[in-house]
């Protein structure tokens, strides 16, 4: 019977390979290949029959033979960031102790932000409410709606439904309210006092 093992060799001037052999059937068949391609400067992982499953090149990571740069996974990270809540004209709201950070996950260009907003202390903000994001919104993405979320102002729920709105190229979002009469209002310092809270979920794309 054949033996299990691997072979490393230069296939040609432009290629190098690691071959994984499966000798359990007695035919010393190669079941897996890792190949470096000098021409495309890529590393490819293939299964039996040279079916490509993974490619790593200058674009990032690609799957199942896909070569499109737009489909490459070029970034992954997760963590928390210290957010700010400011007025579009001036000033800010102070995040409550223990609620000074929001969580995020970034997969390629897709960003998910979640957490709870709570404020306390003295309000100095003037203008529309702006909450910072960990990455700028894609410049080609027109204004769109994030998730609806519950919002309470000093223990009193605001009438209607509150939304997160995203605007292209910005590093923050604003909040709007759609009341039961169908009126859409951008929330500003006149709508919320120094202590308010809201749960948050925002999904958006970045440029890179």
């Amino acid at each position: 019977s054949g033996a299990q093992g691997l072979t490393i060799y230069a296939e040609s001037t432009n290629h190098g390979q690691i071959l994984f052999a499966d000798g359990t059937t007695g035919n010393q068949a190669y079941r897996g290949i890792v190949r470096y391609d000098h021409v495309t400067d890529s590393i490819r992982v293939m299964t039996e029959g040279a079916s490509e499953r993974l490619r790593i090149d200058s674009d990032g990571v690609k799957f199942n033979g896909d070569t499109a740069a737009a489909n490459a996974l070029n970034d992954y990270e997760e963590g928390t960031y210290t957010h700010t809540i400011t007025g579009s004209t001036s000033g800010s709201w102070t995040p409550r102790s223990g609620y000074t950070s929001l969580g995020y996950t970034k997969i390629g260009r897709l960003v998910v932000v979640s957490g709870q907003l709570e404020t306390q202390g003295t309000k100095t903000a003037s203008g529309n409410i702006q909450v910072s994001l960990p990455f700028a919104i894609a410049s080609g993405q027109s204004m769109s709606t994030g998730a609806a979320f519950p919002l309470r102002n000093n223990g009193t729920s605001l009438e209607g439904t509150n939304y997160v709105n995203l605007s292209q190229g910005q590093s923050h979002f604003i909040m709007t309210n759609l009341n039961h009469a169908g009126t859409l209002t951008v929330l500003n310092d006149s709508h919320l006092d120094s202590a308010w809270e809201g749960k948050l979920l925002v999904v958006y794309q970045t440029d890179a």
Side-chain angles (χ1 to χ4, degrees), residues 125-189:
S126 175
N128 300 334
I129 302 166
Q130 298 182 160
V131 180
S132 65
L133 292 166
F135 307 96
I137 301 161
S139 56
Q141 180 172 313
S142 60
M143 193 164 189
S144 59
T145 301
F149 68 100
L151 183 64
R152 295 173 64 86
N153 186 39
N154 262 340
T156 303
S157 295
L158 272 68
E159 176 195 6
T161 304
N162 302 290
Y163 295 94
V164 168
N165 280 332
L166 309 174
S167 186
Q168 59 180 341
Q170 298 299 317
S171 295
H172 63 264
F173 65 82
I174 61 174
M175 295 188 291
T176 60
N177 173 265
L178 182 65
N179 66 20
H180 298 309
T183 302
L184 184 65
T185 302
V186 176
L187 296 177
N188 59 40
D189 62 281

Side-chain angles (χ1 to χ4, degrees), residues 77-151:
E77 62 178 280
E78 58 182 295
T80 61
Y81 74 102
T82 301
H83 65 281
T84 60
I85 308 173
T86 60
S88 58
T89 302
S90 63
S92 63
W93 283 266
T94 303
R96 180 184 169 191
S97 177
Y99 296 87
T100 57
S101 297
L102 296 172
Y104 74 91
T105 300
K106 183 176 186 291
I107 305 173
R109 295 179 58 204
L110 185 68
V111 182
V112 179
V113 177
S114 62
Q116 182 157 332
L117 301 171
E118 291 202 23
T119 66
Q120 65 178 6
T122 303
K123 178 184 76 173
T124 63
S126 175
N128 300 334
I129 302 166
Q130 298 182 160
V131 180
S132 65
L133 292 166
F135 307 96
I137 301 161
S139 56
Q141 180 172 313
S142 60
M143 193 164 189
S144 59
T145 301
F149 68 100
L151 183 64

